Amino acid sequence: MRRVIELRRMWSIAVVPALLVTVLAASALAGPIVTRDPSGVGIVLPGNLWISGDATITVEAPETQPTTFELDDVSLLARWEPLSRLAFFGELRLENVFEVVEHEGVITSGGIVEIERLYAETLLTPELSLRIGKVFTPFGLWNVISRGPLTWTVEEPAITENVFPQRATGLSLVYQKTWRGWSFDATAYAPGQNQIQFREAEDESLDSGLLFGGRVAAGRDFGPAYASLGLNAAGFTRRESREWQTATGLDLEVYAGGHEITGELTYRVPAAGGRTTHGLYIQDAIPIVRTLYGVLRFEYFRRPDGPAATGQLVGLFWRPVPNLVLKTQYIFGTRRLENLETGFEASLSLLF
Amino acid sequence: MRYQLARILCAALPLLGGLASAAERGHSESIAVVVGAESGIADVTMDTLRELYLRRRRVWPDGSRVIPVNLPADSETRKTFSKLVLGRLPQDLSGYWNRLYFDGIQPPVVLRTPEAVCAYLAVEPKAIGYMRRDEVDRAACRILLVLGE
């Protein structure tokens, strides 16, 4: 039995890198006939199959913790559109491959394969689509791009981590429409959380149980600028305790003068009363030259079990070629929290 | 997919080499949104055009797949089209396309010249493109909408 488990684990760890190597080989043989914008990555194979992948190396030097160097994320993404109205999407992630910790040496956990997303999508109308399966919870702006290599910073804002269920499993309705220059987006999702996975979650605080929620947003051009405002709401419960909690929030996007300004405000309330969790961030990606951006972010975060903390981030984002992303940042803060750690971080991501 | 690409090559190769220069044809500020001459697409609004080129809408009303075609990002026509329809220059949309990457949705394909676009539209009835009005090959393409007049 033990041998079977070991073989299964070895297979699951090997599958993501093996598929990435296959993608690289196919990409080398394909060669462009029509081209894509420099921002496009991945390859499109016959039959409308798109495959991409990425690997990220991170260095963290917190002010009060040992410095770490880790190969943390290796991802494989695939989207297949066999019909014009039908698509299948999947994302596998290999986590915790290896880590080097100051004063401790190399730590290899062997890697853990996770199903990040897995869903089928059908277009009910040109504006309305139905997704069945596991998605990133469409709450706010950051969570739907999660920890991917194309976020502006190495780490996500504190208020977007473990404040609401980050994955939704079940049905998601997505509506998109532009009308008289206004862009409208609406999403509704239910009923489960992180239900499709290879292993049981170690922390079930926000990873199991029921989930209902939605988001509506509207945006339009204002002269040379574009702005969008979103409203989010979700109700969720733990599987064991059936304790309901609600989260509400606002999100904001502004594009002006090459800047990309984003922000979110989130408020989580336990139904049985008690202290809330709340916080916000406001971030500006500032164009410097070509694909080099400066990033500034201010965060405020308050957990129910302690005083508030603030953080200020100064960083750089550079994409010298479409397949390489370099990020570096320093976070200054008033308190040290697990998800708002002060200090230096940098990452290098390769995309395929 | 291969058959479609082969059709692009056969139609576009004779046209990609000795191109008539813009100076010979004269210069026009208007941008024409075009489809193939045999395409069944009758009209398109600015709102729909924005949806198509931001890949928010990916099928026509009849359920067939939309194929929007761009000119190169450094093309002046592309920049004008992007400002008029999408409200931003191509380089200002990098954050937007970065986000859509996470759902496997790619930006529109790029063809290098208006002649190549016309040649492709002539053989692909579900595709839509744009070019300067004076660059439209009326034998191959039909104008749906004129921008910037």
Side-chain angles (χ1 to χ4, degrees):
Chain A
M1 183 63 179
R2 192 173 191 177
R3 181 171 174 77
V4 170
I5 294 171
E6 285 298 317
L7 286 173
R8 189 181 303 167
R9 189 178 183 191
M10 287 171 59
W11 161 252
S12 66
I13 291 168
V15 67
V16 173
L19 286 171
L20 279 176
V21 169
T22 304
V23 166
L24 273 177
S27 177
L29 291 172
I33 298 177
V34 296
T35 61
R36 290 196 179 272
D37 279 343
S39 55
V41 291
I43 62 168
V44 180
L45 298 174
N48 290 309
L49 173 63
W50 171 83
I51 299 177
S52 183
D54 56 80
T56 299
I57 297 171
T58 304
V59 173
E60 297 180 5
E63 289 181 349
T64 59
Q65 301 288 331
T67 298
T68 61
F69 172 90
E70 60 182 338
L71 174 60
D72 185 36
D73 290 330
V74 180
S75 295
L76 180 70
L77 297 84
R79 182 182 175 94
W80 178 43
E81 296 186 3
L83 302 171
S84 58
R85 287 182 179 269
L86 179 65
F88 299 93
F89 181 89
E91 179 183 0
L92 291 179
R93 187 188 293 264
L94 179 62
E95 299 180 330
N96 301 330
V97 181
F98 81 86
E99 183 180 13
V100 180
V101 182
E102 185 181 15
H103 307 309
E104 294 183 29
V106 178
I107 299 173
T108 50
S109 64
I112 303 168
V113 178
E114 295 283 359
I115 301 174
E116 287 284 89
R117 289 177 288 170
L118 185 65
Y119 63 83
E121 179 176 19
T122 182
L123 290 173
L124 303 177
T125 72
E127 299 92 2
L128 181 66
S129 65
L130 173 67
R131 293 178 177 176
I132 303 171
K134 181 177 177 180
V135 300
F136 288 136
T137 307
F139 190 105
L141 300 173
W142 196 284
N143 194 60
V144 292
I145 55 175
S146 198
R147 298 172 296 162
L150 295 178
T151 56
W152 290 110
T153 59
V154 179
E155 288 289 339
E156 63 270 35
I159 194 58
T160 66
E161 188 178 14
N162 293 329
V163 176
F164 52 85
Q166 292 179 284
R167 290 161 185 83
T169 304
L171 303 177
S172 306
L173 277 171
V174 182
Y175 178 80
Q176 295 181 310
K177 174 80 173 178
T178 298
W179 181 71
R180 295 192 176 184
W182 283 91
S183 295
F184 296 102
D185 293 78
T187 311
Y189 49 91
Q193 298 178 31
N194 190 13
Q195 308 302 323
I196 301 176
Q197 52 188 316
F198 285 131
R199 62 190 177 103
E200 289 295 321
E202 293 174 0
D203 179 6
E204 293 192 353
S205 61
L206 279 173
D207 209 29
S208 61
L210 299 174
L211 169 66
F212 303 88
R215 176 177 183 265
V216 293
R220 71 166 291 132
D221 295 325
F222 296 93
Y226 174 85
S228 171
L229 184 67
L231 177 64
N232 309 275
F236 45 93
T237 180
R238 301 180 188 186
R239 183 191 302 157
E240 302 299 328
S241 67
R242 295 182 181 271
E243 175 188 317
W244 278 95
Q245 303 182 64
T246 58
T248 54
L250 292 172
D251 60 70
L252 172 72
E253 269 186 296
V254 176
Y255 296 88
H259 292 238
E260 180 180 318
I261 302 168
T262 53
E264 297 185 46
L265 167 68
T266 303
Y267 207 80
R268 186 181 84 193
V269 182
R275 298 189 68 180
T276 65
T277 300
H278 58 272
L280 62 86
Y281 77 88
I282 184 81
Q283 176 176 286
D284 186 7
I286 305 161
I288 298 176
V289 59
R290 295 177 66 83
T291 57
L292 176 65
Y293 290 79
V295 185
L296 299 175
R297 185 166 80 208
F298 171 80
E299 301 185 49
Y300 169 88
F301 184 68
R302 179 162 188 162
R303 291 199 307 216
D305 57 353
T310 62
Q312 300 85 40
L313 179 149
V314 180
L316 291 173
F317 174 102
W318 186 34
R319 194 174 183 184
V321 293
N323 301 93
L324 179 65
V325 177
L326 300 163
K327 293 185 256 188
T328 182
Q329 66 191 41
Y330 200 97
I331 297 179
F332 308 86
T334 56
R335 287 184 65 223
R336 291 181 296 277
L337 298 176
E338 182 179 332
N339 56 349
L340 188 55
E341 186 71 61
T342 55
F344 172 81
E345 291 179 331
S347 70
L348 181 151
S349 298
L350 290 172
L351 297 94
F352 308 98
Chain B
M1 181 71 170
R2 272 191 198 160
Y3 179 57
Q4 285 182 330
L5 294 175
R7 287 195 296 175
I8 295 171
L9 275 180
C10 290
L13 274 175
L15 304 172
L16 290 176
L19 304 172
S21 68
E24 291 173 2
R25 292 183 179 170
H27 178 72
S28 169
E29 296 291 335
S30 302
I31 293 178
V33 178
V34 293
V35 294
E38 305 300 319
S39 171
I41 301 163
D43 56 25
V44 68
T45 65
M46 278 288 280
D47 287 342
T48 301
L49 205 55
R50 184 186 180 112
E51 295 272 296
L52 298 180
Y53 273 86
L54 288 178
R55 306 287 276 133
R56 288 163 55 90
R57 178 180 294 197
R58 298 186 291 280
V59 296
W60 293 111
D62 66 356
S64 58
R65 202 187 309 270
V66 178
I67 307 174
V69 179
N70 260 330
L71 291 171
D74 58 356
S75 152
E76 291 303 318
T77 306
R78 163 90 179 262
K79 292 176 184 177
T80 304
F81 177 85
S82 189
K83 281 290 288 182
L84 287 173
V85 177
L86 309 181
R88 282 166 273 176
L89 292 171
Q91 60 266 31
D92 295 336
L93 287 164
S94 58
Y96 175 82
W97 294 117
N98 287 348
R99 284 207 300 277
L100 260 63
Y101 161 83
F102 291 104
D103 280 328
I105 298 171
Q106 298 292 289
V109 294
V110 175
L111 290 175
R112 282 195 290 268
T113 65
E115 287 77 8
V117 173
C118 264
Y120 179 61
L121 296 181
V123 298
E124 179 47 77
K126 301 305 179 182
I128 186 168
Y130 58 86
M131 60 196 67
R132 288 209 319 263
R133 191 172 186 176
D134 60 349
E135 293 174 328
V136 177
D137 179 356
R138 302 289 180 136
C141 292
R142 172 163 50 88
I143 296 176
L144 288 185
L145 187 65
V146 178
L147 310 173
E149 280 194 314

